[in-house]
Every structure is written in C-alpha cells, then in structure tokens.
Amino acid sequence: MSEFIFKEQANTSLREKVTNDLREAILNGDLAPGARIKEMDIAEQMKVSRGPIREAIRQLEREGLLVSYPYKETVVADLGASEVQHILNPIRFHIEWYVVRTYLNLMDDDFFAKLQAIVDDMHASVAGGEKNRLVDLDLLFHHSILELATERTVMLTWQSIVNQIRLHFAKNLPFFDHDHMASDHQALLDAFRSKELERIQAAIVAHLGSDENLLCFSR
Amino acid sequence: MSEFIFKEQANTSLREKVTNDLREAILNGDLAPGARIKEMDIAEQMKVSRGPIREAIRQLEREGLLVSYPYKETVVADLGASEVQHILNPIRFHIEWYVVRTYLNLMDDDFFAKLQAIVDDMHASVAGGEKNRLVDLDLLFHHSILELATERTVMLTWQSIVNQIRLHFAKNLPFFDHDHMASDHQALLDAFRSKELERIQAAIVAHLGSDENLLCFSR
DNA sequence: CAAATAAATATTGTTGACAATATTCAAAAT
DNA sequence: ATTTTGAATATTGTCAACAATATTTATTTG
C-alpha cells in the first residue's frame, strides 16, 4: 500500500463530540458559571441519548469546568482570578519551563517557523479585533511547545488546567492588553531562538509569573 | 429539629463505588500497568451494568490511571519515575507551599494534634511492616494540609495527581527508606509548629524537591 | 505457501425504558 | 400563620438490548 498520503480519519465518538460542544458552550459563556446542567435538556438539544452526555460530564468535571453533586445536580464551575494567579499559572510555568529546558535541542527552524506563524496570526487578530481567536492562538502557542515532550503526564496535566485558563480568559479578556499579549509571545519566541536558558527563563517568568508570586528555579 | 447528632449519610452512587474499586485494584497492582480493561469483564465481576463502569473509566482517565483508545480499548496507565520527579512532585511542592504560606494562621493546636497523630501512626506502621498503610498515612498527611485551603482548585489539582503518586509509590515502595519517610514528616510538622516561613519552605523542599530539580520561590 | 478476502466473534458505543432520589406544591394539622 | 405531611413532578442513576467498530479466524485465491 502507498503510505502517508492521507491523514488518518479521526474516529470521534459521539461522546467526544458532546464533550467538545459542551466545553465550547461553557467557554463561550453560553453556559455561565453557576448554570445548571440538565442532562435531558442537553440530550434533547443535541439529539442524543443521555449516556454520552453523562460520560462527557464526568470528563468535564475532572477538567474543572463542571461541579457535580450526586443525585442532585451538576453546575458550571466558577473560578477566581486568584486561583489562576496562585495555582494554575504557576503550574503552567513549571511545566513549560521543564519542557523548554529539557527539549531545547528539539527546537529547529521548522518549529520556530510554526511559532512565528502563530505570533503573526496573533498580531493580525489584535488588528482585526478577533478576541476569541487571540485566546486560541495564545494557548496554541503554548500547546505547541508542550508537544515537544514525550511524557504523557505533560499533556495530561496541561489538559487538566488549560480549559480553566480558557474560562479565565473568557471572563477577563476585556481587561487584558491585547497588543501586549501578542508582543509578549514574540519575546518568548525570540528568547527560544537565542537558546540561552537564562534569557528563556526570564521570558517565561515575565509571561506567566506575576510579581506577587515570583518563581525562580535552578537547572 | 435537633442538630448535628448524626453524620450525614453518604449518598454514594454505584458509579462512585465502581470508580473507587477500580482505582483500588489499579493501585493494589491487581490491574498492572498495560493491563486491558474490558468493560464487560468488570461489569460481570462487580455485578453491575456497563453504564457506571464507563463513567468510572472517563473519570480515571482524567486521573491519569487509565488510557483509552476510542473504539479499541482502554488500558492501565504506566508512569515513569522521571515524570513523578520532574512534573508531579514539583506541582505537589507548589500547591503545598502555596497553601502553607497562605493559611499558616489557620494552623492551631487541633491541627497540629491531628498531624502528630498521623505521624505517630506512620512510625507504628513502619514498625509493624504495614507498607500500604504507610503510603495512605503519608498522603493523608499532605491531604490534611491542603484541606486548609478554600479554593476548589487546590483539591481538584491534588486529585488530578495524587493517584498517580500512589501508583508510583505502589511501584517503588520497596526501594524507599521507610524510617526516613516517617521522620521526614515529623520534621515537616515541627517546622509548621515553629511558624517560621523560611524553615517551613526548607522542610518542604527537603521533602519534595530533589536535588536535580531544586525549586526556590519567594514570598 | 503467502497474501488477500470474507465470515465469525469480541468489544466498544449508543439508546430508550425503568428505578431511585430530590424537589415542588398543595393539603392538613397545630 | 407556620409547620408538617404527603402526593405529584422533575431529575439523576441504572439497566439491558441493540448498533457500530475492531479483531480474530477461516477461506479463498494467486
């Protein structure tokens, strides 16, 4: 057989689509924090049975987007800014810094080009006022970095926090300096290109570490 | 109505019991890393239908104990020691250090007594050769600390890694110095009692931070 | 005999019905 | 009027049957 002409057809189960759609609705704000999730409602709107819905709920619960009270109800989670600042962002920082310093040698021209394309798109999004796209690109940038790692735990941990970060963005995006968001990632990329660990660390700290919660790692 | 005489009856769904039993089996080693999980097998052994089993699988997947390949199979996850060292333990460190420095004022005599009882039990477990109990007590010690925090994210993050830590323990316990495990926690507790932040930080670093991955935080 | 094809089996994915639990609302009692 | 009780309703939890997909085995074909 000829090989690798076509990309493998994604075998997405209904459950997976439901999970994605539900997550999207939460991050959109269509389902605001505190909103109750009624299985039957969702099932009817999506024209599927409750089975896949329930499985999706279990998954989103573990992603921190839903909170479920047995035999009672499940509601959309709320998230304080301080939790992002003191807990989630430091974890992001830690993982990313680990991956970067461990897999720096895997960063080649192709990789840099890919990141540069994302940053360029970010600038375009800012200019065009496409705020949601800006968030997607921001997280895609970081996702691309984490893809360098082979450890399953890296992606697993990322997935356990990334959607809470998205929720935070959705809530607070209006208060962010969008220009700064784009140029910040350019600075990160430039630091990667230099391959100087200290400069890279400083860039990541500047990007993720707030002044209130300064982190310094050695090695 | 009279009040607070009886403890609230735990309303555990079947799904929850299944989740706990499955998790237990994995951590016991009854289901070793790589072992395939056949829904029907489990369902028949537990005498329940596949519904709750599938929901439990989704949950344990997000806890990092199972890996699921759609339409194919789900297997018990494997975990490298380096992932614990470089990713999970640093996250533990971060959360615990955040909670301790933030909620230090909540540590009262009752709290210390509770931790002391756990440490005493640890020593007893070492003497009695009850290794699994030692692990439980170790993690209970840290869980008790995290309970000081009110942020939902703290427990959520802990839950997303604690069972992987347990899996790591189950795999490597024979190579640990059990005496040292117990006395290490006594040192932590003594540091808490002193309420000196620098001493506490040093104790946590000594406990969780390896020399290869030294962490230092300010504030 | 080796490779391709097709039938048979095993396993996961989905559904709709039924059971258990919680909530709401109206009637009764104090 | 307030509380208590109990029926009615809504919602979540569980199940067993059916559908879709993957794997294995047997069969054919060159």
Side-chain angles (χ1 to χ4, degrees):
Chain A
M1 196 179 80
S2 60
E3 39 181 306
F4 294 114
I5 297 176
F6 298 109
K7 198 165 57 178
E8 186 179 345
Q9 191 82 344
N11 206 341
T12 52
S13 58
L14 205 41
R15 174 194 92 226
E16 215 163 327
K17 285 185 229 162
V18 169
T19 308
N20 291 335
D21 287 0
L22 247 181
R23 188 192 292 122
E24 204 55 43
I26 295 169
L27 298 173
N28 275 345
D30 288 345
L31 292 171
R36 182 172 182 184
I37 301 288
K38 293 183 191 175
E39 298 173 2
M40 221 17 179
D41 267 21
I42 311 285
E44 275 170 11
Q45 289 185 43
M46 294 190 181
K47 307 272 191 207
V48 300
S49 75
R50 281 170 53 221
I53 307 277
R54 287 177 62 84
E55 292 184 31
I57 289 176
R58 295 288 90 75
Q59 190 165 332
L60 294 174
E61 209 182 336
R62 282 300 188 205
E63 285 181 18
L65 295 184
L66 295 177
V67 183
S68 186
Y69 305 96
Y71 288 99
K72 285 192 65 179
E73 56 179 0
T74 110
V75 300
V76 177
D78 200 1
L79 188 66
S82 111
E83 298 182 70
V84 174
Q85 185 180 58
H86 292 113
I87 301 164
L88 299 181
N89 262 348
I91 293 176
R92 280 179 73 185
F93 171 87
H94 186 87
I95 300 176
E96 190 162 316
W97 171 228
Y98 165 72
V99 170
V100 167
R101 72 180 191 271
T102 307
Y103 295 98
L104 189 61
N105 60 316
L106 294 185
M107 293 189 181
D108 54 16
D109 287 342
D110 275 357
F111 178 77
F112 292 136
K114 184 177 171 185
L115 290 193
Q116 187 62 64
I118 295 174
V119 173
D120 291 346
D121 276 5
M122 287 182 78
H123 276 113
S125 299
V126 174
E130 303 165 280
K131 298 179 180 180
N132 287 335
R133 185 138 173 277
L134 183 61
V135 172
D136 287 343
L137 290 167
D138 183 328
L139 295 175
L140 177 60
F141 183 94
H142 295 284
H143 183 99
S144 303
I145 295 167
L146 298 185
E147 275 181 335
L148 293 173
T150 52
E151 294 96 331
R152 189 179 50 86
T153 309
V154 168
M155 262 315 159
L156 189 64
T157 306
W158 173 248
Q159 282 163 357
S160 79
I161 62 174
V162 65
N163 293 307
Q164 298 181 78
I165 300 285
R166 268 207 161 87
L167 195 59
H168 176 66
F169 267 127
K171 210 173 172 180
N172 301 349
L173 194 55
F175 311 121
F176 290 164
D177 180 343
H178 301 168
D179 267 319
H180 193 277
M181 276 177 70
S183 57
D184 223 30
H185 286 81
Q186 183 68 61
L188 267 175
L189 175 50
D190 291 343
F192 294 157
R193 279 208 175 96
S194 80
K195 300 227 172 187
E196 294 165 23
L197 275 178
E198 293 193 11
R199 181 176 164 192
I200 293 173
Q201 181 179 347
I204 302 184
V205 169
H207 185 62
L208 287 176
S210 73
D211 31 1
E212 274 196 54
N213 185 29
L214 197 70
L215 306 91
C216 54
F217 290 68
S218 37
R219 285 243 188 173
Chain B
M1 195 178 82
S2 61
E3 39 181 304
F4 294 114
I5 299 177
F6 297 109
K7 199 166 58 179
E8 186 180 344
Q9 191 83 343
N11 205 341
T12 51
S13 59
L14 205 42
R15 174 194 93 226
E16 215 162 328
K17 285 186 228 161
V18 168
T19 308
N20 291 335
D21 286 0
L22 246 180
R23 188 192 292 121
E24 204 55 44
I26 294 169
L27 298 173
N28 275 345
D30 287 345
L31 292 171
R36 182 172 181 183
I37 302 289
K38 293 184 191 176
E39 297 173 4
M40 221 18 181
D41 266 23
I42 311 284
E44 275 170 10
Q45 288 186 45
M46 293 190 182
K47 306 274 191 208
V48 300
S49 76
R50 281 169 53 220
I53 307 277
R54 287 178 61 86
E55 293 185 32
I57 289 175
R58 295 290 88 75
Q59 189 164 332
L60 294 174
E61 209 182 335
R62 280 301 189 211
E63 286 182 17
L65 294 184
L66 294 178
V67 183
S68 186
Y69 305 96
Y71 289 98
K72 284 193 64 177
E73 56 179 1
T74 111
V75 300
V76 177
D78 201 0
L79 188 66
S82 111
E83 299 182 70
V84 175
Q85 185 181 58
H86 291 113
I87 301 164
L88 300 181
N89 262 348
I91 292 175
R92 281 180 72 186
F93 171 87
H94 186 87
I95 300 177
E96 191 162 315
W97 171 228
Y98 165 74
V99 171
V100 167
R101 74 179 190 272
T102 306
Y103 296 97
L104 189 62
N105 60 316
L106 294 185
M107 294 189 181
D108 55 14
D109 286 342
D110 275 357
F111 178 77
F112 292 136
K114 184 177 170 186
L115 291 193
Q116 187 62 63
I118 295 173
V119 173
D120 291 346
D121 276 5
M122 286 181 80
H123 277 114
S125 299
V126 173
E130 302 164 281
K131 297 178 181 181
N132 287 335
R133 185 138 173 277
L134 183 61
V135 172
D136 288 342
L137 290 166
D138 183 328
L139 296 176
L140 177 60
F141 182 94
H142 295 285
H143 183 99
S144 303
I145 294 167
L146 298 186
E147 275 179 336
L148 293 173
T150 53
E151 295 95 330
R152 190 180 49 87
T153 310
V154 168
M155 263 315 160
L156 189 64
T157 306
W158 173 248
Q159 282 163 358
S160 79
I161 62 174
V162 64
N163 292 308
Q164 297 180 80
I165 301 284
R166 267 208 162 84
L167 195 58
H168 176 67
F169 267 127
K171 210 173 172 181
N172 301 14
L173 193 55
F175 310 119
F176 290 163
D177 180 342
H178 301 169
D179 267 319
H180 192 277
M181 276 176 70
S183 56
D184 222 29
H185 286 81
Q186 183 69 61
L188 267 174
L189 175 51
D190 291 343
F192 295 156
R193 279 209 176 93
S194 81
K195 299 226 173 188
E196 295 164 22
L197 275 177
E198 293 193 11
R199 182 177 164 192
I200 293 174
Q201 181 179 347
I204 303 183
V205 168
H207 185 60
L208 287 177
S210 72
D211 33 1
E212 273 196 55
N213 185 29
L214 198 69
L215 306 91
C216 54
F217 289 68
S218 35
R219 285 243 188 165

